[in-house]
Amino acid sequence: MPPPSATPPLLVQRPAGLYVPAADLHIDPVRPVERAVITHGHGDHARPGHGAVLATPETLAIMAVRYGPDHAGATQPLPYGRSLDLGAVRLRLVPAGHVIGSAQIVLDSGGMRAVVSGDYKRAPDPTTPPFEPVPCDLFVTEATFGLPVFRHPPIGHELARLAASRAAFPDRPHLIGAYALGKAQRLIASLRESGEAGPIYLHGALERLCALYTELGVELGPLRPLREAGAADLAGALVLAPPSALGDRWQRRLGDPVTGLASGWMRVRARARQRNVELPLVISDHADWDELTATIAEIAPARLWVTHGQEEALVHWARGLGIDAEPLSLQGYTDEGDGAGETEAPA
Amino acid sequence: MSPFADLLEALAFEPQRLGKLRHLTRYLSRTPDPDRGYALGALAGTLDLAAAKPALLRRLVETRVDPVLFALSYDYVGDLAETVALIWPSRPPTEDPPRLGEVVEMLASAHRTSVPGLLEAMLDRLDASGRLALVKLITGGLRVGLSARLARTALAEYGAVPVEAIEEVWHGLDPPYTELFAWLEGRAPPPRAEGRGLFRPVMLAHPLEEAELSHLDPAAFAAEWKWDGIRVQAVAEGGRRRLYARSGDEITAGFPDLLPALDFEGALDGELVIASGGTVRPFADLQSRLNRKAPAPALMERLPAAIIAYDALSLEGEDLRARSFAERRARLETWHAARAPDRITLSPLLPFASWEELAARRAEPPGPAVEGVMLKRRDSPYLAGRVKGHWWKWKRDPFTIDAVLLYAQRGHGKRSSFYSDYTFGVWADDGLVPVGKAYFGFSDAELKEIDRFVRAHTVGRFGPVREVTHTEEEGLVLEIAFEGLQRSARHRSGIAMRFPRVARLRWDKRPAQADRLATLEALLAAIEAGGG
Ligand SMILES: [Zn+2]
Ligand SMILES: [Zn+2]
């Protein structure tokens, strides 16, 4: 728990999540609340059942696709960069570079500024504008990959490995597990940038969100539902599925696929082995250690709160820089967006 | 270094033999000398760099990384080499990443005191997978599940020559194998092999289908016991004495007690066994001596090695392989009678007039170290590989038990959506105890049935493993066939099975009707007593 200060705090921790008292507003609450602001559409941050929800238009669109149009009593879209006055607090959403519509929440009040970054990354992603560093007094950072062993290679490096495997096994389909929101579309868009023009086959669970990305103006090229593919189409095909569906019975129609998984956890061999895949691809939508530390050094906040992930190492590192760093014990957030899948505890 | 690192990465995650072969041949065809030859040596275990101990790596990394961050990371990753490779804070590279050949040659010629500095400089020039490859290479921990035999198979495929042709020259060559590649690419004649104590590719037998016997003439065949040891080739040439396993891997160092017996100029084919007081000991005794690089004298005294010779590939400098089995056998007998070597016996020929008579002998083997009979055409030359129509193995029937399925794990490739790897158990006093694992023996249709059962009866999940229902009333009984039993401290049951496989699905049985551990223990005691 952060120590109490003389002026009423801009941000506090409550059982439902981070809370802004002056605006009566929860950030990414893990249970239904009256008023919520949502950083991004991943299921552990964006939940249904709130009274009113404030978020980017893209995040609201994702929530509507996932939970139906009535997921909240009322919704209010707030595009990036526009400010909103809520009581004594001025609120602004700034790109977080994590998935489409992902936002950092910038809170200004009485000359103090807090930034809740949600999940973020610094690596380029054709599906979302880049993370924008905002100088502040209190920075709340994630720490999913908060250990110095986590360094994600450039995505081009991993796509080259996928291409090499496809060249080595030209007749086998390549089945890649990628989280349904963000990872799958980033993978597709990056493949397109690298010159892949052919059809990409989708497991049913990816279709709606890919369609939404296309509606939101992200170019994904020719996508085909896997269920419509004939046996001849599948030789050497590229197939995407959610990680939780890998190894399930539906994939028997693929015969003898090379199975891959796109996730930051694939950096560590033991984790990759656990997933039973032949082609571990180190592709993550979360900041790696270098991005986390570079971001904190760049923003240089007086205080740092570290949440969901490997808090300990990052707190240790930040204190070494003279930053007043504290781990937050927020419950209910997982590493969902990195495709760790159904059987793994958040780590 | 990066092509080698990519190869290691691909091999580490490729479960299928054919896939491993594909990766390796692609690498050989796209990588220049000497890098590919060093890579081959590293994979086949013929390149011994062992330039650094893990402790040195730890010291190096601790000069660069905060000890708290290192400790937290090591704790998470669990493997020192991997932690060092991942955490190493590279400085902006001033030079290109080193080639594998450069790394090997630099380390091989470096003085011990300059190794740390060299390593540090190389780690700075590499990316994470390159660093992992380097660290595994120098600490001798590649472990990518690739045998020397598979490496030679890849060479054969690359050069479009029979693998036996590679085996014939392999042991006379060293990394980086430039003359081998020159030959495979048609740029040079094959490297010389004769007279240097090298391995000869072995002749293998086909399993006999009993129905085939009616087409075979008993008079054309010689019969011998099929010994339950390991195939060995004993070579003595020009003062060199060597022992090779069937794969061509050299095992001389593990059996110094045999070397005085290799008193000939040539190459013999036979079975390596443990024999004391005139009896051949069970396979388990041999196992305690395998994989020992330098056996202690006490162990050799307690478990003395012997060779049961059954063929002569070369004697007195004359290559006999083109001659008939009958002629080679006569030469072998003549040599044996003249020298009467201490630890080499002859595999006796079994007289028989009809297949029925041989079948009767097969049913009553002389001891536990016999696992059936061998049939060899009297006129067959010694041919490399598993050539049809010359040699047959007629194994005794396997043992079987009924066991209960406990855990199932998904397979790879074609089987990646099937639960195809099974752990099974039998009843002990306090419930079911695991006694083995099986992942073959069943048909495709049976695999589907088991998979359906596993998915519908899962009671627990541990990563890719599922635990299935196994009460007295509910569960799946598998008939397991196996070749033998031995004691094992590594198994909770204290028993390990040899070659277990699923023989039948016993949907007709309740788990309560499966076998008990006491049954296996009694069988093991019988095997050890020599009755098995
Ligand atoms: Zn998150
Ligand atoms: Zn997320």
Side-chain angles (χ1 to χ4, degrees):
Chain A
M1 260 310 208
S5 56
T7 48
L10 187 49
L11 203 56
V12 299
Q13 195 182 338
R14 281 203 176 177
L18 288 172
Y19 180 69
V20 189
D24 182 26
L25 194 65
H26 276 90
I27 299 171
D28 292 350
V30 296
R31 62 184 71 151
V33 297
E34 265 315 297
R35 288 149 55 81
V37 56
I38 305 292
T39 59
H40 67 286
H42 279 146
D44 54 333
H45 293 256
R47 297 171 193 256
H50 303 307
V53 168
L54 178 70
T56 62
E58 295 85 355
T59 297
L60 290 175
I62 291 163
M63 292 176 78
V65 163
R66 292 194 139 173
Y67 308 128
D70 302 323
H71 64 85
T75 58
Q76 182 177 356
L78 183 66
Y80 291 132
R82 207 163 302 159
S83 300
L84 189 67
D85 287 324
L86 298 162
V89 178
R90 170 163 290 191
L91 181 151
R92 187 158 61 99
L93 300 181
V94 167
H98 176 52
V99 298
I100 200 167
S102 64
Q104 310 175 69
I105 293 157
V106 180
L107 303 161
D108 282 290
S109 181
M112 291 287 290
R113 175 179 289 164
V115 173
V116 179
S117 57
D119 293 338
Y120 67 95
K121 71 170 175 291
R122 307 299 298 269
D125 179 344
T127 69
T128 173
F131 177 94
E132 209 178 292
V134 179
C136 58
D137 304 291
L138 169 61
F139 185 59
V140 182
T141 182
E142 62 145 319
T144 306
F145 292 110
L147 278 176
V149 287
F150 289 111
R151 293 207 168 84
H152 312 323
I155 190 168
H157 181 271
E158 299 302 282
L159 295 184
R161 291 181 50 234
L162 172 58
S165 176
R166 295 183 73 196
F169 301 102
D171 301 329
R172 295 169 69 187
H174 277 60
L175 168 64
I176 309 298
Y179 191 69
L181 170 58
K183 186 75 59 69
Q185 296 80 16
R186 177 183 177 207
L187 189 56
I188 296 168
S190 303
L191 281 162
R192 298 306 183 203
E193 278 186 342
S194 76
E196 173 63 53
I200 294 174
Y201 294 88
L202 299 182
H203 180 276
L206 300 182
E207 290 174 24
R208 282 184 318 162
L209 284 166
C210 284
L212 176 65
Y213 266 64
T214 312
E215 271 170 49
L216 293 172
V218 178
E219 192 52 64
L220 296 180
L223 303 178
R224 306 250 191 285
L226 180 63
R227 68 193 124 76
E228 287 169 21
D233 301 326
L234 290 175
L238 198 53
V239 184
L240 263 52
S244 57
L246 292 186
D248 225 330
R249 278 171 283 192
W250 65 271
Q251 80 175 54
R252 286 180 195 166
R253 51 182 315 214
L254 297 178
D256 182 13
V258 175
T259 308
L261 179 60
S263 160
W265 299 117
M266 298 297 104
R267 179 84 276 174
V268 174
R269 283 196 169 178
R271 296 286 297 247
R273 287 244 164 71
Q274 243 173 25
R275 295 308 308 254
N276 224 20
V277 296
E278 287 115 288
L279 189 62
L281 299 170
V282 188
I283 300 176
S284 175
D285 285 333
H286 291 272
D288 68 5
W289 174 260
D290 291 339
E291 294 169 51
L292 290 170
T293 53
T295 303
I296 294 164
E298 182 179 4
I299 292 172
R303 293 169 69 199
L304 179 73
W305 291 357
V306 184
T307 168
H308 63 302
Q310 309 279 347
E311 294 95 349
E312 201 180 344
L314 201 56
V315 166
H316 169 82
W317 174 85
R319 284 180 183 164
L321 251 61
I323 297 172
D324 175 8
E326 291 287 338
L328 286 191
S329 51
L330 293 179
Q331 302 298 313
Y333 300 97
T334 67
D335 52 26
E336 94 300 308
D338 230 84
E342 83 282 33
T343 54
E344 271 167 58
Chain B
M1 195 74 182
S2 131
F4 178 59
D6 289 346
L7 172 67
L8 285 186
E9 175 94 8
L11 291 174
F13 286 98
E14 173 61 63
Q16 304 185 55
R17 185 178 169 279
L18 279 178
K20 287 186 199 284
L21 264 181
R22 179 80 62 93
H23 286 302
L24 197 47
T25 46
R26 271 174 71 85
Y27 172 82
L28 296 179
S29 67
R30 290 149 167 258
T31 312
D33 291 326
D35 294 0
R36 57 180 173 179
Y38 286 127
L40 194 67
L43 292 168
T46 54
L47 178 72
D48 187 13
L49 258 190
K53 294 247 172 344
L56 168 62
L57 290 168
R58 199 166 178 154
R59 278 204 304 282
L60 278 182
V61 81
E62 277 171 356
T63 64
R64 295 263 188 124
V65 180
D66 176 315
V68 173
L69 295 181
F70 182 78
L72 286 169
S73 298
Y74 184 21
D75 188 50
Y76 180 87
V77 175
D79 178 275
L80 182 68
E82 192 178 348
T83 310
V84 170
L86 293 177
I87 208 171
W88 187 262
S90 31
R91 298 178 172 147
T94 49
E95 288 174 274
D96 288 343
R99 306 196 63 91
L100 176 60
E102 192 187 328
V103 169
V104 171
E105 282 156 19
M106 213 145 58
L107 286 173
S109 62
H111 187 265
R112 216 167 48 82
T113 51
S114 57
V115 166
L118 273 177
L119 260 182
E120 193 172 354
M122 283 190 283
L123 286 168
D124 276 337
R125 287 164 65 192
L126 292 162
D127 67 4
S129 48
R131 290 193 297 263
L132 185 60
L134 173 65
V135 166
K136 297 259 172 188
L137 188 66
I138 58 169
T139 53
L142 283 182
R143 279 194 297 272
V144 287
L146 189 124
S147 63
R149 165 90 188 172
L150 197 66
R152 294 192 289 270
T153 308
L155 282 170
E157 210 163 276
Y158 175 61
V161 298
V163 67
E164 293 78 16
I166 305 282
E167 283 172 348
E168 191 104 32
V169 297
W170 175 261
H171 288 277
L173 305 173
D174 293 304
Y177 299 110
T178 33
E179 66 268 58
L180 181 64
F181 285 107
W183 164 50
L184 294 178
E185 287 165 356
R187 295 182 279 114
R192 251 179 49 83
E194 315 78 58
R196 299 168 60 189
L198 299 187
F199 173 72
R200 278 89 166 157
V202 300
M203 179 161 180
L204 300 171
H206 269 274
L208 181 78
E209 302 287 340
E210 285 182 29
E212 288 172 298
L213 282 178
S214 56
H215 306 293
L216 303 177
D217 172 14
F221 285 86
E224 299 166 26
W225 295 120
K226 180 172 177 1
W227 299 99
D228 189 12
I230 64 164
R231 189 81 175 268
V232 68
Q233 187 175 109
V235 184
E237 277 174 335
R240 297 184 186 86
R241 294 185 177 190
R242 288 181 182 165
L243 297 168
Y244 295 100
R246 174 184 127 167
S247 59
D249 294 324
E250 200 182 328
I251 54 170
T252 316
F255 298 92
D257 45 339
L258 279 178
L259 296 186
L262 306 194
D263 182 18
F264 52 85
E265 186 71 16
L268 303 186
D269 187 3
E271 199 81 2
L272 179 60
V273 296
I274 300 301
S276 55
T279 40
V280 180
R281 303 290 309 153
F283 186 81
D285 285 348
L286 176 57
Q287 198 143 47
S288 352
R289 286 205 48 185
L290 293 173
N291 304 321
R292 294 272 168 107
K293 283 265 156 65
L299 180 70
M300 291 192 282
E301 198 159 313
R302 188 164 60 83
L303 302 173
I307 292 176
I308 304 174
Y310 37 62
D311 216 322
L313 314 191
S314 159
L315 271 178
E316 286 136 27
E318 184 189 350
D319 191 338
L320 303 173
R321 287 179 287 178
R323 297 174 183 259
S324 69
F325 174 76
E327 266 181 278
R328 299 196 309 275
R329 173 80 196 191
R331 292 285 292 266
L332 178 65
E333 286 175 3
T334 309
W335 165 78
H336 192 263
R339 297 292 169 89
D342 187 27
R343 303 228 50 91
I344 301 182
T345 58
L346 289 187
S347 182
L349 295 179
L350 307 175
F352 68 102
S354 67
W355 295 128
E356 290 71 24
E357 198 181 332
L358 187 61
R361 280 182 161 270
R362 168 178 168 269
E364 288 188 20
V370 167
E371 49 171 18
V373 295
M374 295 291 298
L375 304 178
K376 297 177 177 175
R377 279 196 76 92
R378 293 179 187 279
D379 61 2
S380 65
Y382 194 91
L383 302 167
R386 207 180 293 279
V387 188
K388 243 193 145 79
H390 296 280
W391 285 12
W392 311 85
K393 53 183 174 189
W394 190 10
K395 283 205 172 190
R396 67 152 146 60
D397 298 328
F399 304 105
T400 61
I401 53 151
D402 288 332
V404 182
L405 179 62
L406 302 177
Y407 304 97
Q409 182 170 355
R410 282 203 310 265
H412 290 276
K414 275 187 197 98
R415 284 182 172 185
S416 58
S417 65
F418 289 98
Y419 284 87
S420 60
D421 299 9
Y422 310 117
T423 302
F424 51 84
V426 293
W427 293 102
D429 291 337
D430 51 351
L432 286 162
V433 51
V435 288
K437 289 176 190 243
Y439 43 89
F440 65 102
F442 37 81
S443 67
D444 286 355
E446 285 171 328
L447 173 59
K448 279 190 186 153
E449 285 178 53
I450 307 176
D451 181 77
R452 214 173 300 135
F453 173 85
V454 170
R455 289 172 191 273
H457 297 86
T458 301
V459 294
R461 290 170 195 238
F462 313 91
V465 178
R466 290 196 185 199
E467 181 175 9
V468 299
T469 311
H470 47 78
T471 64
E472 293 199 356
E473 291 308 312
E474 233 197 319
L476 174 54
V477 179
L478 303 171
E479 183 180 314
I480 303 292
F482 56 98
E483 296 302 317
L485 291 175
Q486 55 206 56
R487 297 197 183 277
S488 163
R490 285 181 299 122
H491 294 75
R492 184 148 69 88
S493 62
I495 290 180
M497 281 184 178
R498 295 181 63 205
F499 304 117
R501 65 262 185 195
V502 176
R504 269 197 295 170
L505 309 187
R506 300 303 306 258
W507 297 111
D508 55 318
K509 289 200 170 182
R510 292 183 298 115
Q513 294 169 277
D515 277 303
R516 302 191 57 83
L517 188 57
T519 314
L520 285 177
E521 281 163 353
L523 181 57
L524 177 58
I527 290 174
E528 284 178 338

